Amino acid sequence: MFSTKHLLFIVVIATCLNLSTAAQQWKSVDDPTLPKAERMRQSDYEVSIYRDGVWKELEVNGALVSDFRPGEYDLDTLGSNRTLMGFCMFTDEFRTAARIRVKRQGAPFSQVSIRPTDYKIGYKRIDGNTIEVPLKHPGKKVSVEFDNDREHNLFLIPDRPEGRVTGENVIYFGPGEHDAGVIDLHSGQTLFVDEGAVVYALIRADKADDIRIMGRGIICSSKASHNLGDRQSALMFHKCRNVVMEGVMFRDSPAWTLNISDCENVLIDNVKQICWMVNSDGMDLCNVRHAEIRNCFLRNYDDNISLKNFAGGGSLYDIRFHDNTLWADRAHNLLVGPESRDDLEMKDIHFDRVRILEGREKAYPWLGTCAVMISDEGHFHDISFTNITLDNVRGASIFEVDFCTYRRLGRTAGNVLLKNIRYYGEQPPKSSIRGLDADHKVEGITLRNIRINGKKLTRRNLPEYVDTNEFITGLRVL
């Protein structure tokens, strides 16, 4: 005879086995045959917030993302081979912690990851399909991943409300969908995309000063051409000064998402991105001076931030990139170079307090979560990567500082600091620091307090984790 305790144990085991089997059978409701605009309405999740004694349903949107696997270079321009993730942007005053319930449709799940892991945000299981997540601060935007499924995950993106900006120089879009085509911003203008608004548009500005993009809405480029021959950036600013972008989401850019060239005094704060297209870099700063990028939450198919110099502009310098959370499905998360024409400099560049949620690129020369690609006749100096956390990325090396031929070889590189870098996950591929020859050396590089699954990088174990060559001077491992 079984006792009550034995029967309870059997029921618990049977339930766990059923949940595990069901989780393996779960399929997204995404239908790739639908038009892209229809696929943007996510149906995998229901999300609600508890306020004033009731549960209030929140809107969940969809975003196409890459199903990239190492070794592939998918030129699918329609998104038909992509998967659909969800994201929930919402505002709350956060006078107290917000209780958020997430229900995944379909079969029950076995376990849930909420990342960044170092936020240490737990969850309470409500039933086989639903969890409750406490969010204490709007700055902590997270990825919710059921049964390690990163292709159909959910971003929770909280913010505090932003008061509407009014005036004759304000271009305002309220809640609802808007087909705006191309929006040209001129000096003194503000584009305000309010909460609940989806604006289908490409945004341009040329030689404009004191321009702003603000709000809590979505700027979407899914209706623009994604053909390789005529696609354009979601945003292109050229020779502008005093630029501010704050709060909005950019979705489905056909090419570089934020294409900012030869501009000065740029502030990008609390911007979000989810893009799937080949070359849909998050932010390409070309010949830019005096820029600060902070508090952003980005998932892109390609490089999340890429710094470049092209002929006709000046050197790039004074770039501060801090307190951001990044997810690159391929290529780099933090990239300096490779394009640097006409003997220009890239210098005074600092990445600090960055959380990396994904990086899968293994193909040379694109590998490296944090990278300096020394090429194209450029000079690369005074660059730092500090307080970087790699949170269970799947395949990318930690850093690369390497001479490589993108179009032409670089000229000089030095004074590079990598400090307080933490890696968690499977053993990563080797990183690299390599000069080219006796005339093209990496001069002065410091590796300080780099820990791989808790193990500190030292001079003794350096060959286990980093490839080097004889064309390096002043290498310190501390």
Side-chain angles (χ1 to χ4, degrees):
M1 294 290 294
F2 289 113
S3 68
T4 301
K5 183 184 293 185
H6 287 133
L7 287 173
L8 180 61
F9 178 75
I10 292 170
V11 169
V12 170
I13 293 297
T15 301
C16 291
L17 289 174
N18 287 337
L19 289 179
S20 178
T21 302
Q24 293 174 2
Q25 296 172 346
W26 183 84
K27 298 293 183 183
S28 170
V29 298
D30 176 34
D31 183 355
T33 65
L34 290 174
K36 200 161 25 173
E38 292 298 317
R39 291 181 72 190
M40 294 302 182
R41 295 172 177 85
Q42 171 61 247
S43 301
D44 286 343
Y45 298 99
E46 293 179 6
V47 180
S48 55
I49 184 171
Y50 188 77
R51 281 290 184 247
D52 301 321
V54 297
W55 287 98
K56 177 185 176 183
E57 186 174 352
L58 300 173
E59 183 176 6
V60 179
N61 289 280
L64 289 171
V65 293
S66 169
D67 57 358
F68 167 76
R69 294 293 182 271
E72 294 180 357
Y73 190 81
D74 191 345
L75 293 179
D76 163 38
T77 61
L78 300 177
S80 58
N81 295 332
R82 303 301 177 188
T83 58
L84 192 71
M85 68 166 286
F87 66 94
C88 178
M89 298 173 63
F90 65 95
T91 62
D92 188 79
E93 293 291 350
F94 282 90
R95 294 187 179 94
T96 60
R99 293 167 57 189
I100 308 296
R101 282 194 174 176
V102 177
K103 178 180 179 180
R104 190 187 69 172
Q105 309 289 7
F109 62 88
S110 292
Q111 61 87 30
V112 179
S113 300
I114 299 175
R115 300 189 303 136
T117 303
D118 63 358
Y119 285 168
K120 298 181 180 179
I121 297 176
Y123 66 91
K124 178 172 70 175
R125 186 167 193 148
I126 304 302
D127 56 38
N129 294 80
T130 309
I131 62 172
E132 186 172 311
V133 180
L135 294 180
K136 297 180 180 180
H137 190 276
K140 292 190 174 180
K141 297 160 175 54
V142 298
S143 174
V144 181
E145 299 155 14
F146 288 82
D147 296 315
N148 299 312
D149 185 348
R150 297 190 185 181
E151 279 65 54
H152 305 94
N153 62 319
L154 174 74
F155 281 169
L156 295 178
I157 305 176
D159 274 310
R160 287 193 173 92
E162 182 174 41
R164 177 177 170 181
V165 176
T166 59
E168 62 180 12
N169 284 329
V170 177
I171 303 170
Y172 175 79
F173 291 95
E177 295 193 341
H178 310 270
D179 286 317
V182 176
I183 299 174
D184 289 307
L185 292 180
H186 303 286
S187 292
Q189 286 191 315
T190 295
L191 170 62
F192 194 96
V193 183
D194 212 343
E195 183 176 1
V198 179
V199 180
Y200 295 96
L202 301 175
I203 302 169
R204 301 285 180 269
D206 184 63
K207 299 177 182 177
D209 295 343
D210 305 306
I211 54 177
R212 296 188 298 171
I213 298 176
M214 304 177 66
R216 296 289 185 262
I218 300 169
I219 298 170
C220 184
S221 304
S222 66
K223 295 186 179 182
S225 173
H226 285 59
N227 294 319
L228 297 181
D230 61 358
R231 59 186 175 146
Q232 301 179 60
S233 295
L235 177 145
M236 183 177 290
F237 285 177
H238 177 63
K239 289 187 178 298
C240 298
R241 294 184 301 174
N242 306 327
V243 173
V244 175
M245 281 177 257
E246 194 275 330
V248 295
M249 156 78 76
F250 287 88
R251 178 177 63 178
D252 195 9
S253 176
W256 295 356
T257 306
L258 305 184
N259 184 343
I260 302 173
S261 65
D262 209 8
C263 295
E264 293 186 4
N265 302 326
V266 176
L267 173 63
I268 303 173
D269 185 15
N270 190 28
V271 164
K272 306 91 178 174
Q273 297 176 351
I274 308 177
C275 302
W276 61 271
M277 185 69 184
V278 172
N279 304 125
S280 65
D281 297 3
M283 303 176 185
D284 287 83
L285 275 57
C286 310
N287 310 86
V288 168
R289 287 83 61 197
H290 314 302
E292 181 181 6
I293 301 97
R294 66 192 186 199
N295 306 317
C296 295
F297 192 72
L298 314 178
R299 179 176 183 175
N300 285 286
Y301 179 86
D302 223 307
D303 306 320
N304 268 307
I305 182 167
S306 184
L307 306 181
K308 310 173 187 292
N309 278 329
F310 290 112
S315 292
L316 176 146
Y317 57 87
D318 187 20
I319 309 296
R320 302 292 187 272
F321 186 92
H322 64 91
D323 297 288
N324 300 294
T325 301
L326 309 179
W327 177 316
D329 282 297
R330 65 164 304 170
H332 311 86
N333 275 285
L334 305 173
L335 174 62
V336 180
E339 292 103 328
S340 183
R341 306 291 190 274
D342 290 348
D343 201 20
L344 297 174
E345 289 186 301
M346 294 193 192
K347 63 183 180 180
D348 193 13
I349 299 164
H350 303 284
F351 304 99
D352 187 37
R353 299 189 299 276
V354 181
R355 292 174 171 87
I356 309 295
L357 299 184
E358 185 62 294
R360 286 185 279 174
E361 182 63 81
K362 293 184 178 181
Y364 183 84
W366 312 113
L367 67 174
T369 302
C370 308
V372 181
M373 294 178 66
I374 309 162
S375 70
D376 297 342
E377 299 187 8
H379 299 269
F380 302 79
H381 295 273
D382 303 316
I383 300 165
S384 67
F385 301 87
T386 59
N387 303 300
I388 312 291
T389 301
L390 287 80
D391 187 348
N392 291 283
V393 303
R394 299 181 296 181
S397 62
I398 300 173
F399 59 86
E400 305 285 327
V401 181
D402 202 350
F403 277 85
C404 62
T405 303
Y406 183 71
R407 289 184 174 85
R408 296 180 294 275
L409 288 171
R411 295 198 179 185
T412 63
N415 194 19
V416 178
L417 170 66
L418 294 108
K419 176 183 176 182
N420 297 340
I421 296 179
R422 296 175 296 169
Y423 176 96
Y424 303 108
E426 296 182 3
Q427 179 82 353
K430 280 189 175 184
S431 297
S432 71
I433 307 168
R434 287 187 291 245
L436 178 66
D437 54 36
D439 296 321
H440 299 83
K441 293 182 177 181
V442 177
E443 299 180 343
I445 184 164
T446 300
L447 309 178
R448 181 188 294 270
N449 192 28
I450 296 176
R451 296 181 182 270
I452 301 166
N453 292 320
K455 186 175 182 180
K456 185 177 180 180
L457 187 68
T458 65
R459 175 68 74 170
R460 177 173 293 182
N461 65 22
L462 184 70
E464 181 181 350
Y465 296 104
V466 184
D467 280 334
T468 59
N469 63 14
E470 66 271 31
F471 305 119
I472 304 170
T473 61
L475 173 62
R476 299 192 301 163
V477 185
L478 304 172

